[in-house]
């Protein structure tokens, strides 16, 4: 019989004589919160060490994917899709999607650029009204368009409105009262700066008219659901975000969900206390009907098409090197196994990372490793005498972890820190010119020659803007693929030198080569061609064939789980 996810399996017997020393050894590890050792029963020999991880242990045991091309390659590998099942498949509808269905897919997307015109008050009112309950004949309770555990609806919607961006609504912070269908003023004139948004979300915030923050009132749900209250609130926030994002285009409003938002900096603007917890946020603004079409989606995703091309090409060239990242539990279990094997020589030990220890009375602890597999993962150790030499070992937890790059989604450094940071740009002047372009596009005072464009908050839309600036400054067209593949100032400078570009080259100079600069009118056509090529490649299954060249055989993926 299998144990529930995150809990130890049955079939083990405690061995008090062996446990204390090993348990104490495990508890000395900085990633371990608690440990219990038992003797394996049945055919399995040796001991089983069950451990729970300390908060934040995931960060110290796994390097997350940061490079945008690497992340896209991982996405294209479809890690959440199961291809290991061999049962008979029953085909569903064989017909192609209708135009109406395709339009629905195009409408529901993230909108990152918004119109500057004020949003009509009636449009906002009807948009928010869908969060209010109604009374249906014969039904004893108020009915809403989205579900909530216990019909409690503890997730509140707060709004931040910029000045002069919504008719009849002054700039400031508001609470949406669902029963009264009112925006209740909290603080008029409140200001939220883009610096509280992490990564590229600051760009979407700049052109937005308002923000929606989903905040849980844990005090309203804990008396009914106890320790499950936060998890249920997170589910409700997800349902709410989907409802808002899917219906906003009906009111000519576009939304973009945002992560990495530092709500703690602005919590005082909403008068929330300790029992409230921020869950999720969205930024919104005015869009037109033409922005919601399939054609508009294709135009705006040209940069993404180029990125898919680059990721697919890299998959072809790198082959087996593109292994999937380890799951967090796998990584921690393997690290602890090496740690034990170097210090415990009596017999083999199996390490199992669980949410709670066997026999614990406190109930299942909420997992601290966010992408845990369905079953607890094990990693068997060998006695120290059988271990490979230190240089041959896969991993040594005692070593200092590699320096972590800045993570997109975290709050960027304040401008004051940017000024203090060493940002000298070396080279022949070309790097300085490129750094100036970066600073203008990214709205930063200075940029270092080794800074990564995406770590500084860049995204595919800003990359298009940077390509335009390079063309205007140097009279050269640089493909988006090449910009993706050269994400630092020094790398871009080195690439431009191979094209014969120097720091003195200028599209506006008298000596600029005739015909080198492509007409601005051709830009959209070129990007559309890139997007069309990417779509054709996807239709031919290019990504699947490319990834198959480096992915392990499907049979070896049985234990692999997850956009």
């Amino acid at each position: 019989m299998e144990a529930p996810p995150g809990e130890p399996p049955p079939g083990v017997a405690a061995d008090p004589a062996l446990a204390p020393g090993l348990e104490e050894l495990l508890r000395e590890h900085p990633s371990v919160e608690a440990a219990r050792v038992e003797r394996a029963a049945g055919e399995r020999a040796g001991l089983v060490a069950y451990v729970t991880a300390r908060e934040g242990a995931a960060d110290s045991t796994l390097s997350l994917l940061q490079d945008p091309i690497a992340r896209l390659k991982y996405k294209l590998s479809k890690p959440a899709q199961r291809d290991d099942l061999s049962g008979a498949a029953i085909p569903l509808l064989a017909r192609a999607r209708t135009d109406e269905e395709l339009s629905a897919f195009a409408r529901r997307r993230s909108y990152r650029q918004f119109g500057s015109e004020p949003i009509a008050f009636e449009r906002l009112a009807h948009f928010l009204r869908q969060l209010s309950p109604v009374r249906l004949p014969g039904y004893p309770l108020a009915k809403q368009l989205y579900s909530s555990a216990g019909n409690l609806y503890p997730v509140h919607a707060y709004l931040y409105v910029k000045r002069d961006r919504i008719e009849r609504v002054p700039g400031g912070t508001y609470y949406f009262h669902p029963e009264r269908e009112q925006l209740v003023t909290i603080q008029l004139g409140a200001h939220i700066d883009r610096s509280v948004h992490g990564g590229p979300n600051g760009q979407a915030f700049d052109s937005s008219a308002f923000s929606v923050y989903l905040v849980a009132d844990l005090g309203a749900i804990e008396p009914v659901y106890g320790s499950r209250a936060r998890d249920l609130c997170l589910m409700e926030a997800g349902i709410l975000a989907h409802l808002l994002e899917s219906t906003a285009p009906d009111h000519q409003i576009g939304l973009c969900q945002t992560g990495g938002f530092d709500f703690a900096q602005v919590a005082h603007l909403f008068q929330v206390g300790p029992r409230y917890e921020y869950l999720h946020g969205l930024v919104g603004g005015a869009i037109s009907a033409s922005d919601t079409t399939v054609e508009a989606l294709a135009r705006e995703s040209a940069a993404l098409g180029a990125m898919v091309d680059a990721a697919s090409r890299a998959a072809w060239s790198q082959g087996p090197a593109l292994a999937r990242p380890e799951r967090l539990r796998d990584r921690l279990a393997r690290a602890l196994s090496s740690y034990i094997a170097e210090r415990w020589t009596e017999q083999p030990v199996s390490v199992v990372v669980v949410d709670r220890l066997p026999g614990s009375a406190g109930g299942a602890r909420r997992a601290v490793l966010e992408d845990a597999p369905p079953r607890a993962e094990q990693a068997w150790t060998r006695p120290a005498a059988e271990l490979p030499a230190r240089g041959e070992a896969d991993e040594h937890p005692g070593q200092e972890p590699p320096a972590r790059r800045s993570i997109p989604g975290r709050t960027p450094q304040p401008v004051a820190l940017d000024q203090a940071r060493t940002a000298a740009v070396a080279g022949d002047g070309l790097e300085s010119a490129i750094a100036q372009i970066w600073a203008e596009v990214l709205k930063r005072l200075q940029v270092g020659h080794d800074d990564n464009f995406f770590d500084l908050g860049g995204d595919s839309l800003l990359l298009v803007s940077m390509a335009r600036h390079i063309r205007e400054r140097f009279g050269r067209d640089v493909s988006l693929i090449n910009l993706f593949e050269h994400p630092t100032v020094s790398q871009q400078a080195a690439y431009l030198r191979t094209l014969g570009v120097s720091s003195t080259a200028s599209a506006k100079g008298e000596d600029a080569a005739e015909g080198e600069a492509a007409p601005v009118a051709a830009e959209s056509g070129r990007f559309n061609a890139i997007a069309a090529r990417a779509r054709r490649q996807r239709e031919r299954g290019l990504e699947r064939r490319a990834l198959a060249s480096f992915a392990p055989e499907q049979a070896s993926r049985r234990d692999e789980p997850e956009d």
Side-chain angles (χ1 to χ4, degrees), residues 194-268:
R194 78 187 300 269
S195 63
V196 297
H197 283 277
N201 293 325
Q203 304 294 332
F205 175 79
D206 285 343
S207 65
S208 67
F210 66 94
S211 301
V212 178
Y213 303 120
L214 303 179
V215 179
D217 181 353
L218 295 178
I221 186 174
E222 283 177 342
V224 179
Y225 290 101
S227 61
R228 297 177 58 200
R230 183 178 182 275
D231 292 339
L232 293 172
C233 287
L234 283 170
M235 292 174 59
E236 183 171 327
I239 297 170
L240 259 172
H242 176 71
L243 173 64
L244 293 173
E245 189 181 52
S246 299
T247 58
D250 297 337
H251 309 281
Q252 291 186 292
I253 293 174
L255 292 178
C256 176
Q257 300 188 44
T258 57
F261 178 71
D262 190 358
F263 186 77
Q265 291 192 36
V266 300
H268 64 283

Side-chain angles (χ1 to χ4, degrees), residues 65-71 199-200 307 404-409 412-413 418 421-423 434-435 438-439 441-442 444 446-460 462-463 466 482-492:
L65 289 172
Q66 307 301 332
D67 182 81
I69 296 293
R71 294 175 69 172
M307 195 172 180
R404 292 168 54 196
R405 292 170 51 195
S406 61
I407 298 177
Q413 296 176 329
D418 286 341
R421 184 177 58 182
T422 302
I434 295 175
W438 278 39
V441 171
L442 295 170
R444 286 178 172 262
Q446 291 179 309
V447 175
H449 68 285
D450 288 326
D451 286 339
N452 186 286
F453 180 76
F454 300 99
D455 287 347
L456 297 181
D459 58 15
S460 57
L462 291 179
L463 209 62
M466 191 164 70
N482 287 319
L483 291 179
F484 275 120
E485 293 175 340
H486 302 86
T488 69
V489 169
S490 58
Q491 290 174 356
Q492 286 186 11

Side-chain angles (χ1 to χ4, degrees), residues 107 119-130 145 210 243-255 285-289 292:
R107 286 165 60 82
I119 296 175
F121 178 79
E122 290 75 14
R123 284 160 50 192
L124 179 73
H126 284 94
F127 167 63
L128 293 175
R129 195 180 194 190
Q130 62 191 328
L145 283 177
F210 66 94
L243 173 64
L244 293 173
E245 189 181 52
S246 299
T247 58
D250 297 337
H251 309 281
Q252 291 186 292
I253 293 174
L255 292 178
I287 61 173
S288 65
T292 66

